[in-house]
Amino acid sequence: MDTLHLALFGNPVAHSLSPVIHQAFADQFGLKLDYALILASEETFAKQLKQLQSSGARGCNITVPLKVPAHNIADTLSTAAVTAGAANTLVFQQSGVFADNTDGLGWLKDLARAETSIKGKSVAIIGAGGAAAGITPIILAQSPSALVIANRSPEKAASLLQQQTNPNFRSMSLQQLRQPGLPKFDLLVNATSIGHQGQHPDLSPESLNPEALVYDLNYGTAAEPLKNWCSKNNIRYRDGLGMLVEQAALAFNLWTSQSPETQAVLSNLGELLNQKT
Ligand code: NDP
């Protein structure tokens, strides 16, 4: 049986759940997998990528801080990678390196699990980094009634909405999120990394509709601060573990043309994380 060679580039990578997820996918199709974790910087990335490519690998995942360099290095790009300006998946093809961004669609697939839709709803995204760049075009394509993107660096939030002329689509600072006159949100997405610092965004429960969902892209210990805040305030909450599994399944499909079953993998991963915490 041929071995499927894959890898993850980023910094940090050591604690990534991607090897476990892709092993579970490979097992579903009886594939042998070799999934390497490669610590890389913007300076070393191009050389390490060439090495991986010439080793016979099928492709790789990309995480922080290399999603933009991965987009820039590719020979061809999917529409999702172009609109996000960043790539989380590279496929080694005969014609060169193809880049895609499966974060946005992976997130949308997991949102469906929470039985939450976007059309006609009022949505807020907190954060404007690579992950927010991946999900913003997906949200806009679903026709929300309003979209607010708030970020510590408001100019980054503005750049995510620069093509938009609809006055209901607005960018702002985190402080402005508390100003009166904003719509109450049906869906609030935490796309900041402050959970890794043991914090959550400074939110007001009054800014949310009673049935609102807070979707945190974080998972594991980084998700705890916002999860606890939502629990105290009786607000529906979902962490980003399902997104992680779904974006991985889409990447796996790009490499193998196989569509893995994700629910069992997600359940097992949740149990694995519970054992660790
Ligand atoms: P980036 O580093 O690109 O962006 C980080 C964001 O967090 C920026 O908006 C940044 O604001 C904000 N931020 C960081 N620290 C603070 C702070 N102290 N106060 C306020 N805002 C802060 O990261 P990504 O966009 O790639 O990832 C964001 C989070 O989503 C991460 O925690 C990551 O683990 C998670 N993620 C989950 C995925 C999943 O599959 N579940 C997929 C991708 C990401 P500023 O712009 O001002 O610096």
Side-chain angles (χ1 to χ4, degrees), residues 122 146 148 168 170 172 176-185:
S122 166
V148 166
N168 293 328
R170 302 168 58 187
M172 57 188 63
Q176 284 172 307
L177 198 60
R178 287 179 162 275
Q179 72 193 336
L182 288 179
K184 281 188 186 269
F185 302 116

Side-chain angles (χ1 to χ4, degrees), residues 40-267:
S41 67
E42 292 196 31
E43 290 71 37
T44 61
F45 175 53
K47 193 172 166 202
Q48 288 170 293
L49 189 71
K50 274 213 157 41
Q51 280 168 353
L52 182 75
Q53 204 175 355
S54 53
S55 76
R58 197 79 61 93
C60 56
N61 287 128
I62 307 291
T63 189
V64 173
L66 299 170
K67 289 185 181 183
V68 174
H71 163 279
N72 295 342
I73 222 167
D75 300 298
T76 50
L77 297 155
S78 70
T79 309
V82 172
T83 47
N88 74 340
T89 306
L90 297 179
V91 185
F92 300 145
Q93 300 174 329
Q94 289 207 326
S95 51
V97 177
F98 170 73
D100 200 353
N101 191 320
T102 64
D103 278 342
L105 200 52
W107 172 76
L108 192 66
K109 280 176 171 268
D110 189 56
L111 190 71
R113 262 202 198 99
E115 293 177 4
T116 301
S117 60
I118 293 170
K119 191 173 167 55
K121 303 281 177 60
S122 166
V123 181
I125 304 175
I126 317 296
I135 64 170
T136 298
I138 295 278
I139 291 178
L140 288 169
Q142 302 289 312
S143 309
S145 60
L147 174 62
V148 166
I149 305 183
N151 194 41
R152 177 176 62 179
S153 314
E155 68 284 358
K156 279 169 70 180
S159 74
L160 295 184
L161 288 175
Q162 63 186 350
Q163 311 288 344
Q164 302 302 320
T165 50
N166 185 333
N168 293 328
F169 299 163
R170 302 168 58 187
S171 62
M172 57 188 63
S173 67
L174 295 176
Q175 293 74 22
Q176 284 172 307
L177 198 60
R178 287 179 162 275
Q179 72 193 336
L182 288 179
K184 281 188 186 269
F185 302 116
D186 301 304
L187 172 65
L188 184 144
V189 183
N190 176 29
T192 72
S193 55
I194 67 172
H196 293 280
Q197 301 152 33
Q199 296 170 36
H200 60 77
D202 183 19
L203 303 171
S204 158
E206 283 73 45
S207 67
L208 298 167
N209 277 322
E211 295 301 313
L213 174 72
V214 168
Y215 192 113
D216 192 353
L217 299 196
N218 294 283
Y219 48 85
T221 48
E224 293 298 327
L226 188 55
K227 189 192 283 180
N228 292 339
W229 182 85
C230 286
S231 161
K232 262 187 219 138
N233 290 288
N234 231 353
I235 293 166
R236 268 199 321 142
Y237 172 89
R238 186 168 183 84
D239 72 19
L241 203 56
M243 171 185 175
L244 183 74
V245 174
E246 293 298 342
Q247 62 77 29
L250 292 166
F252 192 85
N253 178 264
L254 287 169
W255 299 315
T256 65
S257 303
Q258 304 282 6
S259 298
E261 200 282 317
T262 52
Q263 182 56 56
V265 178
L266 175 57
S267 304

